[in-house]
Every structure is written in structure tokens, then in C-alpha cells.
Amino acid sequence: MQTRNIRLSNKQKSFIRQWYEDFANGQASSSYLASEQVNALATLLRVPVQPVMDYINKKYINPSNYLPANSDFAPTSGRAHDPKRRPPFQPDYSLTEANQHLHSTTLSLVERYVQACQRRRAQNDGRRSVNDGPFRCTFGCGYRTKRAFDWRRHEETHEPQELWLCLVCSQKGEQNPFLVNRKDKFLKHAKDAHKDGWEPEVVLEMSRVDFRGTFDPQCPNCPTTSDTWDDRCRHILGHYEDEANDSSRKL
């Protein structure tokens, strides 16, 4: 049977639309989707790759920039999606308005998750096993650590900058699909919960939500303001490193 003659059901098309809007829309500027993503999506829907790629191409991608699903080459023009890129601060930010491009079900899950992250935490809530080091939480929960990487990761538990919503859980119709802001926790979920042939890294890439977060640009230690989350973190870490150096010189 020729794969181009296979027709997707309305339910399959609806799932592809939701996936594209929630997870792949950030790549629209490149008019290109990684073949691994489309292959995994087709596997999830239990259909050949070509009908899925044809549908995405027809509905979302300019045919002149179409890259076949079995191609090993990326386009030579167009800006590829960079998941590490953080948007600049927006003073009139509204989570709902900034993420209107998400499917309504996904947006509802994201809103609840982010609101839970932003709730003020008591310093004695028992959630922190590490409270020693120069790098302090700027949200007042009492967390401290000796490692800059751990500090930044902790900061993003208060103000998420990236989110992953498990596509496999969603496809299985779970009421509360796994949603998290930490890559390591998502990979653990993919390994533990979806052992039936799914590559955790593929599930991770397909499950990245096109989430647009925010942050307070004002440094808590000086009048400096930052334009991006990356700049904010680098600047605050500079304060902590200076404090640590001053302390070591006094010893």
C-alpha cells in the first residue's frame, strides 16, 4: 500500500494540530521540523511518516521550504529554533496572553503549574536538603547551594523558563499528563513511565512546550536591571562570586 494514499483520521489530525501548536510552533520560523520528531509522532499515531509530514507541510509549512521526512540535511537558510534562547523581559507580561498560542487544555495545565511554582514557600517546609553555600535563592525560600548550576536550576523552580508536557501521557488520554520545568526530571519520567520502546531524548524533544515565561529584571542586590533571564542569572551570580572571593581573602 502506498503511504501517500493513507488518510489520517480526524482524531489523528486533531492530535497533530495540538502537538504542532503546543510543541513545534517555536520552529515555524525555520520552516523545518527535525525528522526524528516527525518519525516519533508517526509512531505514536501508529501511521507511516509520510502522511504525517504531508499534513504538517500542507497545513503549516511553506511548500517551497519543505524538507522530506527522510532527509538527513537541514535547510541552509532560515533561523533554527534555539530552545536555550530566552525572550526579553516584558513589563506588561500576562501568562495567559503571552501563551494564547497554546491549546486551551495545555494552557490550563501550564497556568496551574506556574502558579504553583510562584507560590511563596516557607523556609521550614522541609523541601530542601541542601542549605549551605554562597549561592542563595532570590525568592526568599531559604535555599542555598555551593554550585552555580544548582542555584540557577532552583531559581527556575520559582519562575519557570522552560516546560515539558509529556506527549506520550497526553496521547494516552491521561487527565494530568506529566508536566515539569526540569529536563532531568522529565528524562527520568520518560525512562520510568514509558519503557515500551520510547527513546527518552525523543520524547523530551517532542514534549517541549512553546512556553513564554517572564521574570523580574531588577537585581535584588543592586539597581541593575537585566533584559533576559540569562543576563539576570549571570549578573546575580557575579554578586555571589564576589562575596565568596571577599570572604576567602579575609580568612
Side-chain angles (χ1 to χ4, degrees), residues 12-30:
Q12 289 169 330
K13 291 178 180 178
S14 176
F15 185 79
I16 293 172
R17 288 196 298 271
Q18 181 175 345
W19 171 78
Y20 188 90
E21 292 165 5
D22 291 347
F23 304 107
N25 200 31
Q27 300 183 25
S29 61
S30 68

Side-chain angles (χ1 to χ4, degrees), residues 9-107:
S9 68
N10 289 334
K11 185 176 181 180
Q12 289 169 330
K13 291 178 180 178
S14 176
F15 185 79
I16 293 172
R17 288 196 298 271
Q18 181 175 345
W19 171 78
Y20 188 90
E21 292 165 5
D22 291 347
F23 304 107
N25 200 31
Q27 300 183 25
S29 61
S30 68
S31 298
Y32 165 70
L33 291 175
S35 60
E36 293 85 357
Q37 291 178 286
V38 181
N39 288 336
L41 182 61
T43 301
L44 193 63
L45 294 172
R46 302 183 187 279
V47 296
V49 173
Q50 195 61 53
V52 175
M53 190 67 252
D54 287 345
Y55 180 75
I56 294 173
N57 179 50
K58 180 179 178 181
K59 188 167 182 64
Y60 297 106
I61 300 178
N62 186 335
S64 63
N65 292 326
Y66 171 56
L67 187 69
N70 61 355
S71 173
D72 293 327
F73 300 95
T76 56
S77 62
R79 182 176 182 177
H81 173 61
D82 181 1
K84 295 183 180 179
R85 181 174 175 267
R86 301 291 192 276
F89 170 71
Q90 298 175 336
D92 56 348
Y93 174 87
S94 162
L95 188 151
T96 302
E97 292 180 2
N99 292 280
Q100 284 183 347
H101 58 285
L102 299 178
H103 187 276
S104 58
T105 302
T106 301
L107 179 57

